[in-house]
Amino acid sequence: LDFNINPMCSILGQHIGDKVHVLDEMVLPDSNSLAACEEFLLRTEKWVRVAKLPITLSIYGDATGDSRRTSASRTDWQIVREFLGRYRDRFETSFRISSSNPPVKDRVNCVNAVLRNQAGERRLLMDPGCRQLIQDLERVHWKSDPNGNLLGDIDKSDPARSHASDALDYMIAKEFPMRASSGPGQGMLQ
């Protein structure tokens, strides 16, 4: 989950071994956490019908969704937990949210390694209907200075971009984190 108002994004998928399968995306304009939960329930109905219940569900997402705001009495994660708590007959839910988000550079490196690692392995498969996620993966890029030097931030000049890929990278960074190589002369990954 990537908590935004416009758009609110979620990626529905599964990881099996070292592969990630993206099954669907939810990109909801002018939305909120409760509406995203209701849409999730609709989107997963087809899977719930054919599966032995309950479906094991791991939730990943934006750590800042646990922050309360003066405009709301509950956090985004409290809304999601309460909503899914009403559907224990359908979902066996675990929340895999870190206390803080990993650095953007690390998340991007994790996604890139799943897209294609140094050995040439591709471990990310996605439904071609995930158009917003595909556009993010094709178009999101680093900011650069006037001389073309890359900066350490994602270019957010297009408000439609980076939210779907953020939703994906929270899961990938948690399940497939960057690790330092061990052994003599090996430094930390940057």
Side-chain angles (χ1 to χ4, degrees):
L1 290 161
D2 185 44
F3 295 110
N4 291 294
I5 294 171
N6 193 19
M8 168 80 72
C9 292
S10 299
I11 300 299
L12 287 73
Q14 60 187 146
H15 68 89
I16 301 169
D18 68 346
K19 296 217 186 302
V20 176
H21 301 262
V22 177
L23 307 172
D24 199 359
E25 67 181 5
M26 292 176 15
V27 180
L28 308 175
D30 194 26
S31 193
N32 59 61
S33 299
L34 183 56
C37 289
E38 291 166 349
E39 182 66 20
F40 171 79
L41 199 59
L42 289 172
R43 300 273 183 110
T44 58
E45 224 170 78
K46 60 188 172 203
W47 299 321
V48 170
R49 271 187 301 221
V50 298
K52 294 182 180 180
L53 297 177
I55 291 175
T56 301
L57 181 64
S58 298
I59 309 283
Y60 303 83
D62 188 351
T64 62
D66 242 351
S67 302
R68 281 190 54 196
R69 296 178 182 94
T70 58
S71 60
S73 60
R74 297 180 298 163
T75 70
D76 291 307
W77 285 120
Q78 285 172 328
I79 292 167
V80 172
R81 281 183 175 93
E82 288 170 15
F83 183 90
L84 290 172
R86 294 194 297 262
Y87 296 95
R88 286 190 178 98
D89 60 321
R90 296 182 189 192
F91 306 108
E92 184 179 300
T93 308
S94 67
F95 288 83
R96 306 214 2 101
I97 299 112
S98 299
S99 58
S100 63
N101 290 331
V104 173
K105 192 177 214 179
D106 290 351
R107 294 187 345 234
V108 168
N109 286 336
C110 291
V111 170
N112 285 339
V114 174
L115 283 168
R116 185 170 180 215
N117 64 18
Q118 281 186 309
E121 300 166 324
R122 298 175 192 274
R123 300 179 295 141
L124 178 66
L125 307 164
M126 79 178 71
D127 186 284
C130 298
R131 290 185 302 247
Q132 295 300 316
L133 179 58
I134 291 168
Q135 286 182 18
D136 269 12
L137 295 174
E138 291 174 345
R139 297 180 185 172
V140 172
H141 59 273
W142 297 108
K143 282 184 186 178
S144 59
D145 67 17
N147 296 316
N149 298 310
L150 297 180
L151 304 174
D153 294 320
I154 295 289
D155 182 349
K156 299 254 184 187
S157 59
D158 181 347
R161 296 283 57 92
S162 83
H163 305 295
S165 55
D166 282 347
L168 175 67
D169 70 31
Y170 293 122
M171 185 279 291
I172 289 178
K174 187 78 167 175
E175 294 300 327
F176 306 99
M178 298 305 294
R179 291 191 174 95
S181 298
S182 59
Q186 299 295 318
M188 295 296 291
L189 294 174
Q190 301 269 329

